[in-house]
Amino acid sequence: MKTLGIYIHIPFCMQKCLYCDFLSGPATGSVMERYVQALCGEMETEAIQYKEYRVGTVFLGGGTPSVLSGEQIRRIFACLQACFRIEPEAEITIEMNPGTVTKEKLDVCRAAGVGRISLGLQSGDDRELKALGRVHTWEEFLRSYELCRQAGFTQINVDLISGLPGQTAGSWQDTLEKTAVLQPAHISAYSLIIEEGTPFYETYGEGRGTGALPDEVTEQQIDQITKRFLASQGYRRYEISNYAKPGAECRHNCLYWMRGNYAGFGLGAASMVENRRWSNIRELDDYLMIRKREKTVGSCRAGEPYRLSLQEQMEEMMFLGLRMMQGVSCDKFLRCFGRSMEEIYGRVLEKHRAAGLLEYDGQAVWLTERGIDVSNYVLADFLLS
């Protein structure tokens, strides 16, 4: 039986952060209730496609899923269990933000089989949090973290962002130290990206706000601090932006990077099953209306599924797989495509190995530390077109 990951999108949050371009925003209680009903209806309708699949990972993300009530969260997980064949040892994750975590919601999650909580801290500095437009403080994060521990959760991820306005190498070091003292099982350390359409883009995009963001030297210092400090605390870097205690790697995210099958439910959610990709519509009113009147498979899709060409599959295997420290297996490439990696990418491999950006031993290919620092440049070379 084939394995499937499931992503469920909750497009609601208490307040839109200034840097965020995700499909999310505040909503009334009645809208959230209608959405939960529509989401469960979508899963019930679409489940027929996945009768031959076992679900190995589930990720409830957003937005902020924990803005929902405990009862709404319970109903989503009950629907999931009723519609799909969930493996007994499945990794089930829910994202939560400080200030929206309660004992009731955590108890609901434990009863539903959730074993992993992802908490969005972003920074341990209250001034930086305010600059991001976050609605919580460091102390509120600590209270939420302690509630998770008291509820029995041992697999906790903490999200952090570097490169923030006004951030220094010292303030980033302080955030890492304060976080590591808590001994979460997993830490995601992302670099800030200024996305079009966000308030941050209006302030800092296209060279605006020069001097407010860390300069290149500071960013390099931050990168060095991150990998050295977290390694000293027992966290293994297994993907460019992700660090875990032994055995605590996020299986759901690894499924994306290794091009496994995953089905997305909810507003704008993306799916990739047997090399066919599609996404759901992105307008909330349209989604709610369609779910009210349509009960057919695929009614929420933004368009027809797109089958990836062999070339696109090769490209994805390389530029997604090379994000992981283990790299890409040459044997897997040959099994999937009937052609060797050297035949397709020989010149690219040799170019970046000679520059010290790739390691290649005939069994696998992976980025060196220097290669990780310029990963976008390296990965772009694996686009065959």
Side-chain angles (χ1 to χ4, degrees), residues 256-257 259 315-324:
Y256 292 146
W257 299 317
R259 300 193 69 253
E315 292 172 342
E316 285 196 358
M317 179 176 285
M318 299 307 295
F319 67 69
L320 291 176
L322 283 172
R323 291 189 59 88
M324 302 187 70

Side-chain angles (χ1 to χ4, degrees), residues 8 68 82 125 134 187 240 264 290 304 322 351 369:
I8 300 172
L68 299 178
D125 185 305
R134 302 291 287 179
I187 295 175
I240 288 177
I290 287 171
E304 289 300 312
L322 283 172
K351 169 187 172 181
E369 290 218 359

Side-chain angles (χ1 to χ4, degrees), residues 175-197:
T175 287
L176 288 177
E177 290 178 356
K178 290 162 76 172
T179 303
V181 163
L182 301 173
Q183 288 294 293
H186 190 287
I187 295 175
S188 296
Y190 302 106
S191 297
L192 177 68
I193 299 175
I194 307 297
E195 302 283 6
E196 288 193 48

Side-chain angles (χ1 to χ4, degrees), residues 121-133:
L121 169 58
Q122 317 313 353
S123 172
D125 185 305
D126 284 346
R127 291 172 300 179
E128 293 175 359
L129 289 172
K130 186 175 181 180
L132 288 171

